[in-house]
Each structure stands twice: as structure tokens, then as C-alpha cells.
Amino acid sequence: MAQPHRHLGADIGLSGLIKWIRFPRVNSEAAGLDVVTSVADRIDGAFAHQLLKDCLVLLDSPLSGRDIETLWLAGTFRDFDLERLGIGGRVWLRRIADICTDRIRHDDFTPLAAASVLGEALKEAVRAEIRSVGPALEQATAHHPYNAIAGVVPALEQVAEIDPDLGYRLLLRALKGFFVPISEARYERYLALGDEFGLGEDVVDDGDFNVWTDLTD
């Protein structure tokens, strides 16, 4: 029996790919596409469905290629640097989507059911978390001494308006990518919000958070 696409024992979709493409570090487009192929093939192709969905959400959105690059660079901490490789954000997503589409054609995995419409309250919860942690994330990304990336918070806000589930997962990946300190209270909120999205705890907390007991929100 195939597992539900959102309960696969690890981070899923684009946020999962961003995690896995960092280790071991790859430094060419061909090596990056090999990682994409490997991820899309996990659990008999189950990961390909959510990854394709995330890519299509962004490709169908008004986000610019630069916005997409910004989110990718923030999550990977530039360990797979689209800028250095000269790959545009939208071009990269199309290549990922092509690999996923091809993988899905060759499996018998039950298609992912259409997601239910998310309530405005849940969307606002993601927007509130982005606003709340935004100053710390902006400081960590835009002012990093050697890996500076501008515009991460505005790009996350755009995604949250379009798909709060994806916006939430990309927010967590950016915080983890730059090892931004968070409080225990914030960490608990993230677990609770993940539960609202139907995500497993292993999607939210995969061991990469930087939780400080003496921080307060």
C-alpha cells in the first residue's frame, strides 16, 4: 500500500529537495539534476508527486525567476548556487518538473488528490509567522558576511499568498538554511502549524532548527 504523499518520513516537495541537494555538496548542473532524479524516485516515485506540485505552483505564479532563485539560495545556503551556475530560477523549476513528470509516467502510484481550499485563518497564520520572524531572517540573510541574499522575506510573503503550505515549508527551510535562532515557543508554534497543514512532525523538525531556550517571542 502506497504511503500518503505528505507522510513519507521526511521533508517533502521543493523544501525536501532543497535540504537533500546540500549534502553531499554538488557543484554542477548535471550533478544537481542527478539529485533531483534520485529524490523523484524515492519510495517508488512518491516524492515526485509533491515535488511536481510545488514546482507547478511557483511556475504558474507571478513570482519572478529572481524571486525563485532567492528562495532556493536561502534554503540551500548557496551550497547549490544557481547564480554561480547561471541557471535562472524558472528554468531550474522547469527542469525539475520535467524529471518529475517523466518519473510519474512510469509508476503506478495513486495520483495525489486535489488539495482542499485552505482557510484564510491558516493563510494568515503563515503570514503572521513570516512577519514575526522576518527581521531576524532578514538580518541573517541580507546581512550575512559572505553569503548575503537580499529579498528573502518579500519572496516568502508572495508564496504564502499563493500557497501557504509551500510558503510555510520554504520559510522553515530558509530559517534552517541560515541557522536562524528561534525560541522554544516559536518552535512549538511551528509544530502546531505543521499539524494544521497535515504535515508529519518529521517535515517540520528534521533536526536542522537552531532552538534557543533563552529566547522569547
Side-chain angles (χ1 to χ4, degrees):
M1 176 69 68
Q3 298 182 58
H5 293 82
R6 294 170 62 78
H7 293 271
L8 297 170
D11 200 352
I12 56 175
L14 192 60
S15 52
L17 174 63
I18 286 172
K19 174 184 174 69
W20 292 317
I21 207 164
R22 294 186 63 186
F23 307 108
R25 184 176 296 183
V26 293
N27 55 15
S28 71
E29 180 180 354
L33 291 174
D34 284 344
V35 175
V36 175
T37 301
S38 175
V39 170
D41 196 46
R42 291 189 178 196
I43 310 187
D44 298 326
F47 277 89
H49 290 262
Q50 184 68 49
L51 183 51
L52 177 60
K53 177 180 179 294
D54 286 350
C55 288
L56 294 180
V57 164
L58 294 181
L59 287 171
D60 291 342
S61 79
L63 267 75
S64 68
R66 180 56 192 166
D67 291 329
I68 293 168
E69 290 168 37
T70 294
L71 294 171
W72 178 271
L73 295 173
T76 60
F77 195 65
R78 289 188 184 271
D79 283 340
F80 184 77
D81 194 335
L82 295 179
E83 283 187 332
R84 183 180 60 80
L85 295 172
I87 308 171
R90 284 184 165 271
V91 171
W92 180 238
L93 289 190
R94 289 190 190 98
R95 290 173 185 166
I96 296 171
D98 286 345
I99 289 172
C100 292
T101 299
D102 185 65
R103 180 61 184 84
I104 290 169
R105 285 197 193 104
H106 294 89
D107 69 30
D108 57 359
F109 207 88
T110 303
L112 183 64
S116 59
V117 176
L118 296 170
E120 185 63 28
L122 194 51
K123 180 185 290 188
E124 176 53 33
V126 176
R127 289 186 296 221
E129 290 300 336
I130 294 173
R131 289 193 299 267
S132 176
V133 81
L137 182 56
E138 178 71 12
Q139 178 64 35
T141 54
H143 302 283
H144 195 276
Y146 59 87
N147 260 354
I149 301 171
V152 174
V153 173
L156 285 170
E157 290 173 336
Q158 289 188 71
V159 179
E161 287 294 325
I162 299 160
D163 186 330
D165 173 87
L166 177 56
Y168 173 64
R169 286 185 283 114
L170 291 178
L171 167 64
L172 300 187
R173 190 50 59 198
L175 292 170
K176 295 169 183 177
F178 274 77
F179 210 50
V180 178
I182 64 171
S183 69
E184 288 185 325
R186 188 181 298 279
Y187 168 78
E188 293 297 334
R189 290 205 306 273
Y190 288 167
L191 289 178
L193 189 51
D195 189 59
E196 290 290 322
F197 280 115
L199 300 170
E201 184 173 332
D202 41 22
V203 173
V204 177
D205 184 6
D206 54 2
D208 292 343
F209 272 132
N210 182 15
V211 181
W212 289 32
T213 58
D214 57 347
L215 281 181
T216 58
D217 290 330

